[in-house]
Amino acid sequence: MAGFDKVVKSYAEALAGLTDDMTIIAGGFGLCGIPEGIIAEIKSMGVKGLTFVSNNCGVDDFGLGLLLEDRQIKKMISSYVGENALFEQQFLSGELEVELTPQGTLAEKMRAGGAGIPAFYTATGYGTPVGEGKEVREFDGRPYILEESITGDFAIVKGWKADRYGNVIYRHTAQNFNPMAATAGKITIVEVEEIVEPGELDPAHIHTPGIYVNRLIQGSFEKRIEKRTVRSA
Amino acid sequence: MALSREQMAQRVARELQDGFYVNLGIGIPTLVANYIPEGMEVMLQSENGLLGMGPYPTNEELDADMINAGKETVTAIKGASIFSSAESFAMIRGGHVDLTVLGAFEVDVSGNIASWMIPGKLVKGMGGAMDLVAGANNIVVTMTHASKHGESKLLTQCSLPLTGAGCIKKVLTDLAYVEIAEGSFWLKERAPGVSVDEIVAKTEGEIVVPDVVPEMEF
């Protein structure tokens, strides 16, 4: 590695330093825009006691759901965790802790965490179980709750294209939580479909500037579809 | 006759205006997209990061990177934009979405809504619902007026954990269109052939009934 070149040669190198009980921020919405190869490597590493901050937890045999098989996840911070029988089973048995967080608040917790803002006020969740025990403050007569930001030991991100300097572009709605996740990891790993040379991507069209990215790897993706809905032509 | 799901969607569609940005929840709200009046331009927002959601793709258009908030494969219309989840909820929380339509288990006379959690049953999560109800100025809740067992869902006080407090002003049920103001429900319209008495009987919270309650027309 030299200068700004973020490319690593292997998944083992990409995940070097990941140990038990760490917190990982993950991009993705359902199975859309998830770093498949990085998840597979975390599974094969066998690290345990992980806390994942991710909108969802995959399905039984794909995405973060794969890490439930060997009970590697201790806690999920998510907005929606349906569609996953193993998840249900581990949650009901008390093995898996879940902190349900409104989707917009979750996105903002990552964004603010990565931007050096430790907490923020939001009206979302006021008067609901989410607001219980949280500081309330009124602005212009409306109550808001104080939500704390999130950062992680690692962030795992799925991009479309990146240059070797780690400037990343996402494709379509596979963007979702990925740009925020990328900012919120002490070590941010990005897995992309294609790595190009610096200068090949339009600087004005970069979604995640390379300053946030520590390690970059080219993966190959199954891109499984969770709900295949089509119309006749 | 109680309204069908399609009629409920049709009635909600009358709340649309040309140039509206609209977020439609799962279920009956999704059907509203089928009743956008001819010649009216409406852009659908999907909270996973898409403004200008189009119809489902053809087999040829199918793309795993193109989904809606219900995780269904979709398309984008011409003039759509795609962005991050933080950006998406900035537009929702910031009150930029003109109309939000979503389902619920219960609403009450204070404008509270419960739609995500039934204690004792497995909780899957609130997704974006709490952000949507907290951020939108113009929300229409669609639901049946009473449960299958005849229990009212329009209450003095929600019995289930809330999704949002004091944020609902418009409710369309299979029996009536009701607004919420000053700590009461206000009966505005009734489904064709449904009597005011039936609506009042099935509304647990206080409901104000004007002398004339027009029937909806379809």
Side-chain angles (χ1 to χ4, degrees), chain B residues 21-217:
Chain B
Y21 297 103
V22 179
N23 184 291
L24 301 176
I26 290 163
I28 292 167
T30 305
L31 301 176
V32 174
N34 300 333
Y35 298 100
I36 298 168
E38 194 104 357
M40 185 184 282
E41 285 198 308
V42 166
M43 238 190 234
L44 301 178
Q45 205 259 14
S46 188
E47 62 265 25
N48 59 317
L50 169 61
L51 186 60
M53 178 168 63
Y56 292 146
T58 61
N59 272 318
E60 292 68 39
E61 292 169 331
L62 189 74
D63 187 333
D65 290 338
M66 198 64 215
I67 65 167
N68 66 16
K71 299 170 189 165
E72 300 171 323
T73 45
V74 291
T75 56
I77 62 166
K78 278 182 188 165
S81 55
I82 292 174
F83 33 80
S84 72
S85 300
E87 184 78 50
S88 182
F89 282 95
M91 52 186 85
I92 289 168
R93 210 188 296 103
H96 303 279
V97 175
D98 297 300
L99 174 67
T100 294
V101 186
L102 77 173
F105 301 142
E106 298 173 344
V107 293
D108 71 25
V109 295
S110 305
N112 297 325
I113 173 171
S115 67
W116 73 287
M117 182 182 179
I118 298 177
K121 289 196 179 174
L122 188 75
V123 180
K124 291 182 172 179
M126 68 292 281
M130 285 191 183
D131 306 279
L132 281 160
V133 296
N137 299 313
N138 187 14
I139 304 169
V140 178
V141 170
T142 58
M143 59 183 202
T144 56
H145 208 97
S147 74
K148 282 174 191 150
H149 311 293
E151 290 158 347
S152 178
K153 296 181 178 181
L154 281 70
L155 305 172
T156 305
Q157 194 172 6
C158 287
S159 65
L160 297 168
L162 298 186
T163 307
C167 46
I168 305 302
K169 298 193 188 88
K170 299 174 179 175
V171 184
L172 178 75
T173 73
D174 53 341
L175 303 183
Y177 173 66
V178 170
E179 292 185 356
I180 300 171
E182 298 161 27
S184 289
F185 295 116
W186 297 69
L187 181 56
K188 294 291 178 182
E189 297 169 30
R190 58 198 167 96
V194 172
S195 71
V196 168
D197 288 348
E198 182 184 349
I199 294 164
V200 171
K202 288 183 174 168
T203 306
E204 190 263 334
E206 185 181 302
I207 184 163
V208 178
V209 181
D211 293 339
V212 180
V213 182
E215 278 189 11
M216 296 174 204
E217 288 174 24

Side-chain angles (χ1 to χ4, degrees), chain A residues 136-174:
Chain A
V136 176
R137 189 165 157 188
E138 280 194 17
F139 297 90
D140 283 333
R142 186 169 185 201
Y144 294 78
I145 58 173
L146 186 67
E147 290 280 8
E148 290 186 17
S149 307
I150 297 179
T151 55
D153 298 299
F154 279 81
I156 62 172
V157 168
K158 194 271 167 180
W160 178 32
K161 292 182 183 179
D163 66 24
R164 302 180 72 86
Y165 289 181
N167 294 305
V168 185
I169 291 173
Y170 306 97
R171 185 169 178 274
H172 300 337
T173 61

Side-chain angles (χ1 to χ4, degrees), chain A residues 11-229:
Chain A
Y11 284 100
E13 193 183 335
L15 280 156
L18 178 67
T19 54
D20 290 354
D21 304 315
M22 281 188 163
T23 295
I24 303 176
I25 318 264
F29 187 96
L31 302 180
C32 181
I34 57 172
E36 298 178 18
I38 295 173
I39 293 169
E41 177 67 17
I42 294 172
K43 183 173 172 64
S44 71
M45 286 171 80
V47 283
K48 290 198 161 45
L50 300 172
T51 295
F52 267 94
V53 185
S54 169
N55 191 53
N56 317 93
C57 192
V59 295
D60 275 326
D61 61 344
F62 202 64
L64 293 181
L66 288 171
L67 305 181
L68 295 170
E69 292 173 352
D70 302 317
R71 297 179 159 69
Q72 291 175 268
I73 304 177
K74 180 182 69 181
K75 181 177 178 182
M76 285 299 306
I77 301 175
S78 306
S79 87
Y80 188 83
V81 290
E83 276 81 71
N84 196 323
L86 198 52
F87 188 99
E88 217 167 281
Q89 189 190 316
Q90 290 182 22
F91 173 63
L92 291 174
S93 72
E95 289 173 87
L96 180 61
E97 192 186 335
V98 180
E99 188 176 316
L100 288 172
T101 303
Q103 199 172 123
T105 297
L106 186 65
E108 193 63 14
K109 277 172 177 262
M110 292 183 195
R111 195 199 69 79
I117 296 169
F120 54 91
Y121 287 99
T122 178
T124 302
Y126 171 76
T128 79
V130 167
E132 279 169 23
K134 289 175 184 161
E135 183 189 321
V136 176
R137 189 165 157 188
E138 280 194 17
F139 297 90
D140 283 333
R142 186 169 185 201
Y144 294 78
I145 58 173
L146 186 67
E147 290 280 8
E148 290 186 17
S149 307
I150 297 179
T151 55
D153 298 299
F154 279 81
I156 62 172
V157 168
K158 194 271 167 180
W160 178 32
K161 292 182 183 179
D163 66 24
R164 302 180 72 86
Y165 289 181
N167 294 305
V168 185
I169 291 173
Y170 306 97
R171 185 169 178 274
H172 300 337
T173 61
Q175 179 172 166
N176 57 60
F177 282 84
N178 281 298
M180 284 77 66
T183 66
K186 284 195 194 86
I187 295 175
T188 291
I189 315 164
V190 182
E191 186 181 16
V192 294
E193 297 176 40
E194 187 184 352
I195 296 176
V196 300
E197 292 305 314
E200 287 187 42
L201 303 175
D202 183 339
H205 290 170
I206 300 297
H207 291 120
T208 293
I211 193 167
Y212 297 109
V213 177
N214 302 95
R215 301 171 188 174
L216 177 66
I217 189 160
Q218 186 165 326
S220 60
F221 297 85
E222 176 187 334
K223 291 199 187 179
R224 193 181 294 187
I225 291 174
E226 201 165 337
K227 291 183 189 166
R228 189 179 188 279
T229 45

